[in-house]
Amino acid sequence: MTFGATILDPLGLRLSAEEKTFFRDADPFGFILFARNLDTPDQIRALCDELRNAVGREAPITIDQEGGRVQRLRAPVWREWAPPMDFVTAASDAPQAMYLRYRLIAHELRQLGIDSNCAPLVDVATQATHPFLRNRCYGTTAPEVSDLGRAVANGLLDGGVLPVVKHIPGHGRAEADSHLELPVVKADPETLDAVDFAPFRALNDLPMGMTAHLVYKALDDAPATLSPKMMALIRQQIGFDGLIMTDDLGMKALSGSLSDLSRQARNAGCDVILHCNGSLADKQEVAAAAGRMDADGQRRAEAALAARKQPDEVDIPALEAKLDALLNG
């Protein structure tokens, strides 16, 4: 039996009986958690157990724990982190600091039952990058971003957490907030390939990726998430063969019904539909339209799950001290 071609979120701190039944029947590939799902460590562990019990397997559970504005787990229980760009600027050895940062994040996540993180973000920033994204970026050149993205991915993987590289094939030129409207990028294909796509090519061996809700005008008029041409470019020109999930279909960059968008994204070549922050009825609509994974999607899903490993044994206080020296030495 193939997995359901969705990643879905629970409504609250624990699952209702209706949610348990729905998740059992829909069998989503995995789940994603938001602040409304997070209270205490014990509650989070119990919710993760409920989600996995609903589908009867060790489904991946992901989260957005970049640090900075996009950080679901916060103080006083969990570490607070500076925005990635500020953090990179402050570090004497940025790749090592980013590795340590995400190794510590992975440790916190695994203690809660969370085994995936929507990072690294390897969009290359420009002066015009919209503020919603800019300080979430790691740098302004493709080589720098590629190196730091690899450090982030390694820190997560060594901590037993699956990385999700985003936003493929590159969101850095967006001058609009895709949560609110559809950004249109007018750069020429050669520039896009040399700069925006390059970090994703450098990290094309990672197990999972998340799309960008952007129009690349020189290549297609449809948003990448819904574009067969852009999805083929990701697979062939960028060479990414990991599991591809959409960015949240509920974002206002995309217009249309959830069922139509789900079908368009699947037909374009996305393996998994990510839908967040909707009602149970919304989730049911998405699951019905997304259907089950095809053979290629199932192969990629199984390869991603095989990349999960037990965390390596580390001395957390020693890592913290090493990181502190890189930031304050």
Side-chain angles (χ1 to χ4, degrees), residues 15 31 45 47-62 112-116 308:
L15 294 186
F31 300 96
R45 283 188 284 267
L47 177 59
C48 289
D49 287 344
E50 285 185 332
L51 291 167
R52 292 186 171 114
N53 288 339
V55 295
R57 56 185 166 83
E58 286 297 303
I61 298 175
T62 195
L112 300 171
I114 300 168
D115 59 3
S116 174
R308 284 189 301 194

Side-chain angles (χ1 to χ4, degrees), residues 81-94:
W81 297 99
M85 187 169 282
D86 298 344
F87 181 90
V88 165
T89 301
S92 59
D93 182 337

Side-chain angles (χ1 to χ4, degrees), residues 87-249:
F87 181 90
V88 165
T89 301
S92 59
D93 182 337
Q96 181 67 3
M98 287 289 267
Y99 173 87
L100 293 169
R101 170 182 170 125
Y102 285 89
R103 180 62 187 84
L104 291 168
I105 287 173
H107 179 72
E108 290 189 333
L109 297 181
R110 279 295 296 243
Q111 286 187 317
L112 300 171
I114 300 168
D115 59 3
S116 174
N117 191 12
C118 295
L121 184 152
V122 295
D123 304 319
V124 180
T126 73
Q127 288 302 316
T129 301
H130 191 280
F132 100 90
L133 184 70
R134 195 173 196 283
N135 71 353
R136 296 166 57 193
C137 298
Y138 305 162
T140 57
T141 70
E144 174 189 22
V145 170
S146 300
D147 288 347
L148 293 172
R150 178 64 68 183
V152 169
N154 288 343
L156 292 171
L157 286 165
D158 287 349
V161 170
L162 290 173
V164 180
V165 64
K166 61 187 184 184
H167 303 84
I168 195 166
H171 210 304
R173 293 184 192 276
E175 297 180 22
D177 183 348
S178 54
H179 294 88
L180 304 175
E181 58 184 306
L182 178 62
V184 176
V185 170
K186 298 178 180 178
D188 61 80
E190 294 74 22
T191 299
L192 289 170
D193 186 65
V195 180
D196 303 71
F197 302 166
F200 296 96
R201 187 179 297 112
L203 299 177
N204 66 12
D205 59 319
L206 292 186
M208 295 193 287
M210 177 187 289
T211 65
H213 294 335
L214 260 69
V215 169
Y216 303 86
K217 195 68 176 175
L219 298 168
D220 198 9
D221 290 330
T225 301
L226 308 179
S227 167
K229 183 173 182 179
M230 293 306 301
M231 294 304 299
L233 180 150
I234 290 167
R235 294 300 190 194
Q236 297 163 18
Q237 186 173 326
I238 291 175
F240 187 83
D241 192 40
L243 186 81
I244 293 183
M245 67 181 73
T246 69
D247 204 346
D248 177 17
L249 283 197

